[in-house]
Amino acid sequence: MVIIKNIIHVTFLYFRNLFSKRTKELKSVVHSAPGWKLFGKVPPRENLQKTSKIIQQEYEARTGRACKPPPQSSRRKNFEFEPLSTTALILEDRPSNLPAKSVEEALRHRQEYDEMVAEAKKREIKEAHKRKKIMKERFKQEENIANAMVIWINEILPNWEVMRSTRRVRELWWQGLPPSVRGKVWSLAVGNELNITPELYEIFLSRAKERCKSLSETSSENDTEGVSIADREASLELIKLDISRTFPSLYIFQKGGPYHDVLHSILGAYTCYRPDVGYVQGMSFIAAVLILNLEEADAFIAFANLLNKPCQLAFFRVDHSMMLKYFATFEVFFEENLSKLFLHFKSYSLTPDIYLIDWIFTLYSKSLPLDLACRVWDVFCRDGEEFLFRTGLGILRLYEDILLQMDFIHIAQFLTKLPEDITSEKLFSCIAAIQMQNSTKKWPQVFASVMKDIKEGDKNNSPTLKS
Amino acid sequence: MGNGTEEDYNFVFKVVLIGESGVGKTNLLSRFTRNEFSHDSRTTIGVEFSTRTVMLGTAAVKAQIWDTAGLERYRAITSAYYRGAVGALLVFDLTKHHTYAVVERWLKELYDHAEATIVVMLVGNKSDLTQAREVPSDEARMFAENNGLLFLETSALDSTNVELAFETVLKEIFAKVSKQRQNSTRTNAITLGSAQAGQEPGPGEKRACCISL
């Protein structure tokens, strides 16, 4: 099938090329049409481009600013400084059938031209300054990362248990983990409650491979387990399907990409390790982010342990009532922090599941730019599940003004496809401004009271999700 | 895309896209609303949204399309999204028989949660892959006929019938609504438009399904 698709693609390209050639030819024909012919008979101009260049050179010679004629190849680069076409328009004499420019007019045009060039130069200098500033900031950032890395490696990691909850480390953690220690810190923070070893991973991996093989060999023969085999096969199919749809723009998890097999292995092994959970869409994104930061076996260990956290377990088991409790808790803090927006959403019956499902299932790795998602993961590893919901509120706060202007469908569209230019500075300052304390209660207490309320029969939360 | 105040429309129809994972729902939608196709689109998790306004005669109809995740396990969540929908495209991949085999289950799911009057079109997608076809046209058409569904084969990749599919569904809804409005002026009964339990539109809003200006 892939081959067929490719053939179609290739033929399509072929035709497109033909077509573009065609249009090019057409264009050149148009170009060679005679020039000014508005009034009466004027001989066609042959070299409009050349003339303007000569004019410019003449002008430069006259004003004594003989700048080197730029080499042909770099003409584009210098476009801002020596706008040939503009020069031509300003400095060129009028077509012979029109009255010539007066001296004053010519002078004025020259002056205007000079001003434009000066303006452009000024702009260029300003931009250079800006670039320099950005570079400086980047250097500073890199220096900070390098410094932080030294602290993490030499001081924090060797004394992990003692230092992890100190104020200094927590603050440093908030700033974002240096990529070189990120995976290590994630692993430590997620922990290994399940006591999975690399050997255990190998066992489940080989089991997954066996199953895959036996399924493809005896797909229709084995009737004893009929349904479950079909289900398992569907799940394996789904993994295959989803792998190519995980961070497609990175081209590393797709077939033939460097991490395609690793992602396949981890997801396959997990369905063998936890058949009760199985494969659920969204997992491929989490596994992919871990693979980008950890070795294969460590990535699996972190993956399995991460999915074993109460919040993740509730979502990946698609435990409806538990998910509702998380949404209800989220709404308590939503109302507390962003009451105006909360009411706005309420007026449209826009429930949090509409945007939170994607955010929570993939831990923001699908909806935020990857580097920013990693920073969210950093603090998620530090603060636990409540940070996922705090991040959600941070996003809402960041876009509060725009969202307040929107109606249901536009809000839903906006939140399920966030702007790509979202920056970590802005988002994190918004997250920082979100208070995760409702009068005297914090997230765990609010969550506990929601649990209690719902148990007691008050089931009026999130009407959309009630089935 | 603007933010809510810009467009002029007379009707809003909520339409859901449903069907197995990987059949091309998201690409059908992007082809219809943005004329785009992506070979490497991302897995849909939960639900995504898109809109497009089309003219049906003199009426501007805004299609509010809910693109749902196809994963079986998600159905518990996504079925809630059918509420208030007046149209549905039930999509299968005509090169993968198993995505067609479960169409009946999807249909049941839909009728369980949506209005009985919902307009449903069965859509066999990926018609460009002629060599790989596993579901014969006649078989699917027959099934559609027997179940009172519209039917079309589409290709989001080469655009075949995509526009037609959505427009046919919208026209059908529009016809139903027009008929109902005629009736309702006499009997004051509205059924298609009352499908918004729990999702009332805001004051003066033209949200979800068919509220006329």
Side-chain angles (χ1 to χ4, degrees):
Chain A
M1 242 170 319
V2 176
I3 296 169
I4 295 165
K5 251 190 194 163
N6 280 343
I7 290 171
I8 287 169
H9 192 64
V10 168
T11 41
F12 174 68
L13 279 178
Y14 177 71
F15 279 116
R16 206 167 56 180
N17 281 344
L18 269 187
F19 186 70
S20 64
K21 250 181 226 161
R22 265 263 189 80
T23 46
K24 260 180 220 157
E25 276 161 27
L26 274 176
K27 264 185 202 154
S28 58
V29 172
V30 173
H31 267 289
S32 62
W36 293 86
K37 250 201 158 178
L38 282 173
F39 310 102
K41 282 179 195 165
V42 179
R45 292 196 180 209
E46 300 229 309
N47 271 323
L48 200 84
Q49 287 254 323
K50 212 173 179 185
T51 345
S52 55
K53 215 153 104 201
I54 290 168
I55 292 168
Q56 192 192 10
Q57 277 164 7
E58 278 173 4
Y59 168 72
E60 278 162 354
R62 252 178 288 152
T63 51
R65 277 200 293 138
C67 80
K68 251 192 292 171
Q72 207 63 348
S73 60
S74 65
R75 217 170 68 187
R76 270 216 122 149
K77 247 194 201 157
N78 290 330
F79 197 72
E80 265 197 27
F81 287 113
E82 323 291 349
L84 290 182
S85 53
T86 326
T87 319
L89 276 175
I90 294 166
L91 302 176
E92 191 180 14
D93 282 330
R94 295 215 171 88
S96 53
N97 59 335
L98 293 175
K101 281 185 190 176
S102 69
V103 182
E104 294 145 44
E105 201 180 359
L107 267 172
R108 201 182 70 231
H109 283 171
R110 256 170 229 159
Q111 198 193 339
E112 279 169 0
Y113 173 72
D114 283 341
E115 279 166 13
M116 277 159 72
V117 171
E119 195 59 41
K121 288 221 160 114
K122 228 198 245 164
R123 210 169 43 230
E124 179 70 9
I125 289 168
K126 217 170 149 189
E127 262 161 32
H129 269 295
K130 217 165 120 192
R131 265 201 305 275
K132 217 171 156 186
K133 210 178 142 193
I134 289 173
M135 281 303 279
K136 219 171 150 185
E137 264 165 30
R138 192 176 298 164
F139 278 136
K140 209 177 141 195
Q141 233 174 20
E142 271 164 24
E143 212 180 282
N144 283 345
I145 290 173
N147 289 340
M149 195 181 73
V150 174
I151 300 173
W152 278 100
I153 290 175
N154 294 339
E155 296 178 39
I156 304 169
L157 289 178
N159 307 298
W160 175 248
E161 286 307 327
V162 187
M163 288 189 77
R164 66 180 293 180
S165 44
T166 61
R167 201 174 158 178
R168 179 169 162 247
V169 171
R170 285 177 66 82
E171 265 167 25
L172 201 59
W173 204 332
W174 175 274
Q175 309 295 325
L177 297 171
S180 52
V181 297
R182 180 166 265 153
K184 182 82 196 148
V185 177
W186 286 358
S187 279
L188 285 168
V190 170
N192 189 4
E193 261 188 338
L194 300 168
N195 288 319
I196 301 171
T197 57
E199 292 73 33
L200 198 64
Y201 168 62
E202 289 301 329
I203 291 169
F204 284 112
L205 179 57
S206 58
R207 222 178 265 180
K209 281 180 175 163
E210 257 168 46
R211 193 171 283 181
C212 213
K213 225 193 273 166
S214 72
L215 274 175
S216 59
E217 276 167 7
T218 60
S219 53
S220 56
E221 282 167 34
N222 204 339
D223 274 356
T224 44
E225 277 180 278
V227 181
S228 75
I229 282 197
D231 272 2
R232 243 179 275 150
E233 191 171 19
S235 156
L236 288 173
E237 271 289 307
L238 200 61
I239 291 176
K240 243 190 254 170
L241 178 73
D242 272 358
I243 285 176
S244 65
R245 301 197 292 176
T246 306
F247 298 120
S249 54
L250 294 180
Y251 293 110
I252 49 178
F253 298 106
Q254 282 61 45
K255 204 157 181 109
Y259 289 135
H260 172 270
D261 295 344
V262 183
L263 185 53
H264 202 279
S265 299
I266 287 183
L267 295 174
Y270 185 76
T271 56
C272 286
Y273 172 66
R274 286 301 288 267
D276 59 320
V277 182
Y279 174 74
V280 180
Q281 286 182 332
M283 283 184 182
S284 66
F285 284 88
I286 295 182
V289 173
L290 289 170
I291 288 167
L292 291 174
N293 288 284
L294 286 163
E295 291 300 317
E296 184 171 340
D298 292 330
F300 178 79
I301 294 168
F303 182 71
N305 279 285
L306 193 60
L307 295 196
N308 201 43
K309 307 257 169 211
C311 175
Q312 274 59 47
L313 212 50
F315 275 75
F316 280 107
R317 277 183 165 155
V318 198
D319 179 341
H320 229 177
S321 62
M322 278 302 276
M323 283 165 76
L324 284 175
K325 284 160 201 160
Y326 278 104
F327 295 147
T329 312
F330 171 81
E331 284 196 298
V332 169
F333 290 97
F334 186 2
E335 187 172 16
E336 187 99 347
N337 280 278
L338 305 160
S339 55
K340 217 166 138 195
L341 193 63
F342 179 78
L343 287 175
H344 185 63
F345 279 24
K346 268 267 139 95
S347 74
Y348 288 115
S349 309
L350 197 140
T351 44
D353 53 290
I354 283 186
Y355 46 95
L356 276 186
I357 283 180
D358 183 12
W359 293 353
I360 304 298
F361 264 105
T362 63
L363 305 177
Y364 295 94
S365 57
K366 185 170 161 259
S367 30
L368 293 179
L370 195 54
D371 54 335
L372 185 46
C374 283
R375 278 204 59 189
V376 171
W377 281 44
D378 289 345
V379 190
F380 163 57
C381 287
R382 190 192 80 169
D383 293 0
E385 63 187 33
E386 75 167 73
F387 189 73
L388 295 177
F389 297 92
R390 194 178 178 194
T391 301
L393 292 173
I395 294 172
L396 295 180
R397 187 190 161 100
L398 177 58
Y399 295 113
E400 185 178 15
D401 293 343
I402 315 171
L403 292 169
L404 280 169
Q405 308 297 318
M406 291 183 177
D407 65 0
F408 173 87
I409 189 69
H410 289 94
I411 297 171
Q413 248 177 304
F414 185 90
L415 293 179
T416 49
K417 199 170 189 298
L418 293 171
E420 280 163 20
D421 59 359
I422 184 168
T423 66
S424 53
E425 289 77 28
K426 277 191 192 144
L427 178 59
F428 269 81
S429 70
C430 284
I431 297 174
I434 297 292
Q435 294 299 319
M436 293 305 267
Q437 187 148 351
N438 159 38
S439 51
T440 53
K441 286 183 197 160
K442 291 186 172 178
W443 176 271
Q445 285 90 37
V446 174
F447 186 73
S449 68
V450 165
M451 293 275 274
K452 221 174 111 209
D453 285 353
I454 289 181
K455 248 184 222 156
E456 278 164 15
D458 173 22
K459 289 181 182 169
N460 287 328
N461 294 291
S462 226
T464 314
L465 265 181
K466 258 193 329 192
S467 44
Chain B
M1 262 167 284
N3 51 11
T5 48
E6 78 294 3
E7 310 141 37
D8 262 332
Y9 47 85
N10 311 110
F11 294 93
V12 184
F13 293 158
K14 174 173 166 181
V15 175
V16 289
L17 273 170
I18 56 172
E20 290 293 288
S21 200
V23 297
K25 296 181 291 296
T26 302
N27 267 322
L28 276 173
L29 182 58
S30 67
R31 177 61 83 194
F32 177 63
T33 56
R34 299 193 301 276
N35 199 20
E36 284 172 12
F37 179 89
S38 161
H39 278 283
D40 43 20
S41 59
R42 299 180 303 175
T43 312
T44 305
I45 289 160
V47 59
E48 288 174 15
F49 303 85
S50 221
T51 59
R52 188 177 144 187
T53 305
V54 294
M55 292 302 295
L56 298 179
T58 54
V61 169
K62 181 168 172 173
Q64 184 190 95
I65 304 159
W66 295 44
D67 174 19
T68 60
L71 179 63
E72 165 101 38
R73 199 84 77 83
Y74 277 157
R75 281 191 206 174
I77 320 167
T78 49
S79 58
Y81 299 143
Y82 303 162
R83 201 169 303 146
V86 289
L89 276 77
L90 202 183
V91 189
F92 68 92
D93 176 350
L94 54 77
T95 71
K96 290 203 175 84
H97 196 273
H98 70 91
T99 64
Y100 172 72
V102 292
V103 157
E104 211 157 354
R105 254 201 292 172
W106 276 106
L107 210 55
K108 187 182 175 304
E109 187 84 10
L110 185 64
Y111 287 137
D112 279 353
H113 296 93
E115 286 293 289
T117 45
I118 188 169
V119 173
V120 186
M121 177 182 269
L122 182 64
V123 176
N125 191 34
K126 309 198 184 175
S127 65
D128 51 287
L129 299 171
T130 43
Q131 304 291 314
R133 177 190 282 274
E134 283 182 9
V135 181
S137 275
D138 291 340
E139 191 187 329
R141 183 170 298 115
M142 197 78 112
F143 176 85
E145 264 171 32
N146 292 338
N147 288 275
L149 316 176
L150 301 161
F151 175 69
L152 264 182
E153 289 189 342
T154 59
S155 163
L157 184 132
D158 67 18
S159 308
T160 305
N161 283 346
V162 175
E163 194 95 2
L164 184 64
F166 281 98
E167 275 178 8
T168 307
V169 169
L170 294 175
K171 268 184 200 155
E172 188 80 12
I173 300 168
F174 185 63
K176 273 195 183 182
V177 172
S178 308
K179 215 165 128 195
Q180 221 158 65
R181 287 175 84 208
Q182 276 172 8
N183 291 342
S184 69
T185 49
R186 271 178 276 130
T187 63
N188 231 1
I190 299 174
T191 49
L192 201 63
S194 63
Q196 308 167 58
Q199 286 191 15
E200 276 76 31
E205 253 299 313
K206 298 171 286 186
R207 216 206 103 203
C209 101
C210 41
I211 300 125
S212 61
L213 265 179

